[in-house]
Amino acid sequence: MTTAPPAEVTAAPPRARSAAFLPPAPTSRPAPAAPPLGPVRKGPLAVSALLAVALTVYVWSAHGAKPGVLLLLGLGLGVGLFHSRFGFTSAWRQLVAVGNGTGLRAHALLLGTTATLFALVLGTGTGLFGSAPAPSAGPLGLGLLLGSVLFAIGMQLGGACASGTLYVVGSGQSTLVLTLGGFIAGATLAAWQFDLWKDLPAFEPVVLADHVGWFGSWAVTIAALVLVVLISRRVQARRNPPPVDAVPSARGALARAVRGSWPLAAGALVLAALGGAVLLVSGGAWGITSAFSLWGSELVGALGGHPENWTWWQRPGNAEMLAGPVLADKTSLTDIGIMVGAALAASLGGTWALHRNIPWRTAVAAVLGGVLMGIGARLAGGCNIGAYLAGIASGSLHGWLWGAFALGGTWIGLKLRPLFGLGNPKPGDGVC
């Protein structure tokens, strides 16, 4: 986070609302120019490209076209996430800390576009490879409340959400490797202790399409997202926050598409299209964290444990997941694809780098944040992707509640960040 000297900046002039249908929301000063890109990192690029090709060939030959396509979709998700720097953690932090709703409005575009694609796929029952698409719906109860709050606290301490952890790990940032390790540990711990929390009080899932049909569900979702956009603009206009920092980019449309940063809107549209394709191919929405429970449990089994005896892995669907190959698991494939795709994009963009010197308090926060996210995702039945994005796009009430509770957890997480030497955006900052 950088702070510009007050004497060197001037407030951006007020913008007339008549100039455009939705002019840019005001900020306290103009957004900074994007710094230039560094040279292509040829070594990491060669390694990540070779890994992408080898994994694709192996998965396609060993497990068939459907898993192979899911891996390719994961690679695309990694590229899209990195190039747009599409984040959930930073977006909520900027909104709660200083009132900048730029990231939240990008969420609304992602959610609305995904909801449109989901309505088309789910409403028509269209699926590829023999899959039958189903909405993502979750129970409404104490587990949802506790899990989403814990997850939001964890992502503010750990530095990224579920999707962000994967693509940042792929881009070479060592701190997030600690977050990912804690994430896997927390998700595995929650699966092991499933009997302790499986009977928390909850109501049955509520899916709008069951009451108003898929068109009605889509219309209600879009109307609610428009309201979110308008409210975020009103909040931003009142608080006049610092602008969002710029990331390295390239000049020219083609160079920017391949190497540079993408606008958040472009990232939202690409991620929505790829997420819709995951539903079309697999029959289920894009998710992240079920694979972490699987990876951790496989490690427990390799060390002599017996995760197959855990109640979590004896549930319908979960038993087949544990018994099957990891590289045939839908969520594992997209997760691995995200990390490799982000490594490719970061290498091309000249930003792939390992961070070796990690302050001890930052390391503790990363591990603790990951553990809280892993436990929270299991309690809530999903993360910012599997519950928030997939739930709202499916017209499920639990997705909206997850987002609301996560905003509360974000506020708690911001209060805890200074204990670990982590900063928060402030109104006087040059960027947030």
Side-chain angles (χ1 to χ4, degrees):
M1 192 184 309
T2 58
T3 303
E8 297 180 4
V9 297
T10 57
R15 300 173 176 87
R17 287 191 176 273
S18 59
F21 173 65
L22 276 180
T27 53
S28 60
R29 49 184 54 84
L37 289 172
V40 174
R41 299 298 308 278
K42 295 180 181 178
L45 177 61
V47 172
S48 54
L50 181 61
L51 184 58
V53 172
L55 279 172
T56 302
V57 170
Y58 173 78
V59 169
W60 208 290
S61 60
H63 303 297
K66 180 177 176 178
V69 171
L70 287 169
L71 177 62
L72 292 176
L73 291 174
L75 291 169
L77 287 166
V79 171
L81 284 164
F82 177 82
H83 273 314
S84 62
R85 308 303 200 275
F86 203 96
F88 295 81
T89 304
S90 58
W92 280 321
R93 180 162 62 240
Q94 291 158 359
L95 176 70
V96 173
V98 293
N100 192 319
T102 301
L104 185 66
R105 291 189 290 277
H107 292 184
L109 178 59
L110 170 62
L111 290 162
T113 308
T114 305
T116 302
L117 296 174
F118 274 31
L120 292 173
V121 173
L122 295 168
T124 59
T126 304
L128 300 178
F129 300 103
S131 62
S136 292
L140 314 176
L142 186 59
L144 176 63
L145 189 159
L146 293 175
S148 53
V149 170
L150 284 176
F151 189 94
I153 295 171
M155 67 182 183
Q156 294 304 330
L157 296 181
C161 57
S163 52
T165 297
L166 291 174
Y167 91 75
V168 176
V169 165
S171 67
Q173 293 197 30
S174 307
T175 305
L176 271 295
V177 175
L178 299 176
T179 303
L180 178 59
F183 213 145
I184 294 171
T188 306
L189 176 64
W192 174 43
Q193 295 298 322
F194 177 59
D195 289 330
L196 292 180
W197 55 270
K198 65 183 179 67
D199 293 323
L200 290 174
F203 295 103
E204 290 298 313
V206 175
V207 179
L208 290 175
D210 294 339
H211 305 277
V212 295
W214 281 110
F215 178 78
S217 173
W218 172 83
V220 170
T221 300
I222 297 300
L225 292 170
V226 169
L227 183 61
V228 168
V229 169
L230 295 176
I231 292 174
S232 77
R233 289 177 62 84
R234 178 64 64 88
V235 169
Q236 184 162 330
R238 188 179 76 246
R239 298 181 66 178
N240 202 32
V244 176
D245 198 6
V247 297
S249 192
R251 297 183 182 275
L254 180 59
R256 191 175 184 186
V258 176
R259 296 195 63 218
S261 63
W262 298 351
L264 279 175
L269 295 176
V270 169
L271 295 176
L274 293 169
V278 170
L279 175 66
L280 192 65
V281 169
S282 69
W286 173 28
I288 300 283
T289 59
S290 65
F292 296 165
S293 297
L294 175 63
W295 298 351
S297 298
E298 291 282 5
L299 178 59
V300 170
L303 295 175
H306 295 281
E308 69 277 5
N309 296 331
W310 303 351
T311 305
W312 173 262
W313 291 116
Q314 293 176 351
R315 303 176 73 203
N318 289 359
E320 292 80 2
M321 185 190 305
L322 183 65
V326 169
L327 288 180
D329 172 57
K330 163 203 158 186
T331 309
S332 295
L333 288 166
T334 52
D335 284 1
I336 293 168
I338 288 170
M339 290 188 283
V340 177
L344 281 167
S347 301
L348 279 171
T351 62
W352 195 96
L354 290 175
H355 296 222
R356 295 180 176 84
N357 297 320
I358 304 172
W360 72 268
R361 286 197 295 173
T362 302
V364 170
V367 174
L368 177 60
V371 170
L372 290 176
M373 284 193 287
I375 294 172
R378 290 283 63 80
L379 289 174
C383 59
N384 57 294
I385 300 297
Y388 175 60
L389 172 59
I392 291 177
S394 297
S396 175
L397 183 58
H398 90 290
W400 288 101
L401 291 176
W402 194 101
F405 296 145
L407 277 177
T410 296
W411 182 86
I412 299 172
L414 295 186
K415 298 297 182 183
L416 296 175
R417 280 172 61 86
L419 299 177
F420 299 91
L422 304 173
N424 292 320
K426 297 179 177 59
D429 288 343
V431 294
C432 65

